[in-house]
Amino acid sequence: MKRLLLVGAIDSASQTLIHQLSQDHQLALTVYTASAVDLPATVTALTEETLDEGGLSAAMLDQDLVVALVPTIHLAQTALTLATAVRATGNPQLIISKTDDIDDLPLAERQARQTLMGAGVAFDLVEGLGSVSGLLGIQPTSAPVFGPDEVGPLERFAG
């Protein structure tokens, strides 16, 4: 069984990802987040601050993969904490996903990459949950398809 640790703030989109991951019976999922959220019964919840090196290191013990959901503005600082925790716990694979679409902070991304590469951490830095889902091999959720005589939700607002 693979063990996956999901770290970071949990919003409705990441809750969908958690629900999809919880359906995989070959996966033991742990969520490490700063706020209490509703999770499926099969998911282990740890409520701690992402930048708490000790707590994050303890959560990473015996994990095969760590997925960190990080806003760009905190990317450099979080990368330093992640690098320390990953090195302390035996180098699980790390995927960092930027949780926003801020492109005007290239220094934060460059600093994060330098920190992780300098620490010898195996990582992927991606944008958005779609990229995380792709790396994890998760099938996208089905979206409703509307026939020619059906009104889609956005068409109701067209005038």
Side-chain angles (χ1 to χ4, degrees), residues 78-101:
T78 304
L80 183 58
T81 302
L82 288 166
T84 301
V86 165
R87 286 189 16 229
T89 58
N91 268 351
Q93 176 67 38
L94 176 64
I95 297 173
I96 301 174
S97 174
K98 292 173 31 179
T99 58
D100 52 43
D101 57 359

Side-chain angles (χ1 to χ4, degrees), residues 124-135:
D124 290 295
L125 180 59
V126 299
E127 295 196 27
L129 292 176
S131 298
V132 171
S133 295
L135 285 173

Side-chain angles (χ1 to χ4, degrees), residues 55-137:
L56 187 57
S57 295
M60 280 189 194
L61 286 173
D62 297 323
Q63 298 293 329
D64 299 308
L65 176 65
V66 176
V67 176
L69 308 176
V70 184
T72 304
I73 198 156
H74 298 294
L75 192 58
Q77 184 180 12
T78 304
L80 183 58
T81 302
L82 288 166
T84 301
V86 165
R87 286 189 16 229
T89 58
N91 268 351
Q93 176 67 38
L94 176 64
I95 297 173
I96 301 174
S97 174
K98 292 173 31 179
T99 58
D100 52 43
D101 57 359
I102 297 175
D103 290 328
D104 58 351
L105 293 174
L107 180 60
E109 187 171 332
R110 188 168 50 250
Q111 287 174 333
R113 287 183 185 279
Q114 288 173 339
T115 296
L116 294 164
M117 288 189 300
V121 173
F123 73 97
D124 290 295
L125 180 59
V126 299
E127 295 196 27
L129 292 176
S131 298
V132 171
S133 295
L135 285 173
L136 296 177

